[in-house]
């Protein structure tokens, strides 16, 4: 095969590729491929149950894994030997509504440990649109910035809590939040 024939063949192959791409775009072939890739993207997990406002369970490769959200603490609803706290059910309901049936993306924090003392995975939980569930909960008054342990987004979470408090949102309106000696915030028991 001569060099001239090789160049013509390469040009023909390139033209055919461009033609296929143009036809594929016109018929939406690549949109379906993109959607399938997003649905099957590694790191996206289906929520199997909502434990409370700061804890969920996901299907992680066929195993039910409990996820404790990094940097947020919501009023208690299921703590053994403890009463339900003011705004606990509302915080749980908010997170359940916020996530809905969406898959979530989980992300570890380099400053945090991998698991807590209850062996729950510690992760940031992101919605498909990129919003961070923990931050949404804090800024809308459904939880507190949980700064007892180091994490990279602590300044952002504390600022969101201060804004929610200043704007009297959520639990800052409906409860009487107080700070414990260790700096942790919580609400009074529900009536």
């Amino acid at each position: 095969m001569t060099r001239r024939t090789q160049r013509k063949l390469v040009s023909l192959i390139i033209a055919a590729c461009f033609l296929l791409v143009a036809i594929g775009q016109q018929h939406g072939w690549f949109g379906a491929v993109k959607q399938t890739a997003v649905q099957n993207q590694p790191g996206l997990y289906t929520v199997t149950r909502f434990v409370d406002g700061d804890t969920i369970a996901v299907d992680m490769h066929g195993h039910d894994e409990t996820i404790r959200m990094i940097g947020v603490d919501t009023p208690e609803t299921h703590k053994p030997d403890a009463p339900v706290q003011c705004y606990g059910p509302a915080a749980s309901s908010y997170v359940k509504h916020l996530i809905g049936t969406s898959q979530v993306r989980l992300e570890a924090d380099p400053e945090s440990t991998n698991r807590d003392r209850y062996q729950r995975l510690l992760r940031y939980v992101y919605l498909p649109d990129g919003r961070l569930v923990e931050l949404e909960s804090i800024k809308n008054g459904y939880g507190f910035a949980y700064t007892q342990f180091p994490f990279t987004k602590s300044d952002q979470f504390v600022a969101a809590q201060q804004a929610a408090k200043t704007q009297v949102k959520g639990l800052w309106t409906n409860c009487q939040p107080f700070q414990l000696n260790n700096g942790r915030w919580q609400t009074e028991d529900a009536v």
Side-chain angles (χ1 to χ4, degrees):
M1 187 180 302
T2 67
R3 207 150 169 77
R4 186 175 177 181
T5 306
Q6 286 176 338
R7 277 186 271 174
K8 283 184 180 182
L9 184 59
V10 168
S11 295
L12 184 61
I13 291 171
I14 290 172
C17 288
F18 280 118
L19 182 62
L20 281 173
V21 168
I23 292 169
Q25 286 177 336
Q26 190 175 31
H27 292 286
W29 295 342
F30 300 112
V33 170
K34 182 180 176 185
Q35 183 62 33
T36 301
V38 168
Q39 289 172 346
N40 295 325
Q41 178 182 355
L44 289 179
Y45 300 96
T46 301
V47 177
T48 57
R49 90 189 130 85
F50 295 89
V51 178
D52 61 20
D54 53 35
T55 308
I56 60 173
V58 300
D59 177 359
M60 189 171 282
H61 314 295
H63 173 70
D64 196 46
E65 186 73 60
T66 302
I67 308 298
R68 174 62 169 86
M69 296 180 200
I70 297 173
V72 66
D73 193 25
T74 61
E76 298 297 340
T77 58
H78 293 95
K79 188 174 184 178
D81 302 320
V84 172
Q85 293 177 328
C86 180
Y87 233 60
S92 295
S93 179
Y94 175 77
V95 168
K96 187 174 185 176
H97 177 74
L98 184 64
I99 296 173
T101 58
S102 299
Q103 287 187 312
V104 295
R105 183 173 60 84
L106 304 177
E107 181 181 289
D109 186 297
E111 292 185 18
S112 184
T113 59
N114 190 48
R115 292 188 182 269
D116 67 5
R117 63 183 173 164
Y118 304 110
Q119 294 306 303
R120 300 175 296 190
L121 273 179
L122 298 172
R123 295 292 186 267
Y124 292 116
V125 179
Y126 287 91
L127 298 170
D129 64 8
R131 288 181 295 156
L132 182 56
V133 172
E134 293 92 328
L135 186 59
E136 292 297 314
S137 294
I138 294 167
K139 78 179 187 181
N140 288 300
Y142 289 95
F144 302 107
Y146 188 42
T147 58
Q148 303 312 114
F149 303 98
F151 62 102
T152 57
K153 299 179 186 309
S154 62
D155 291 343
Q156 185 181 11
F157 285 18
V158 169
Q161 176 176 304
Q162 186 56 46
K165 183 178 180 182
T166 301
Q167 296 166 12
V168 196
K169 288 184 171 182
L171 54 76
W172 300 101
T173 299
N174 298 294
C175 305
Q176 297 173 6
F178 59 95
Q179 203 166 16
L180 301 172
N181 290 338
N182 64 5
R184 186 175 175 189
W185 284 89
Q186 67 180 55
T187 60
E188 72 279 10
D189 296 344
V191 241

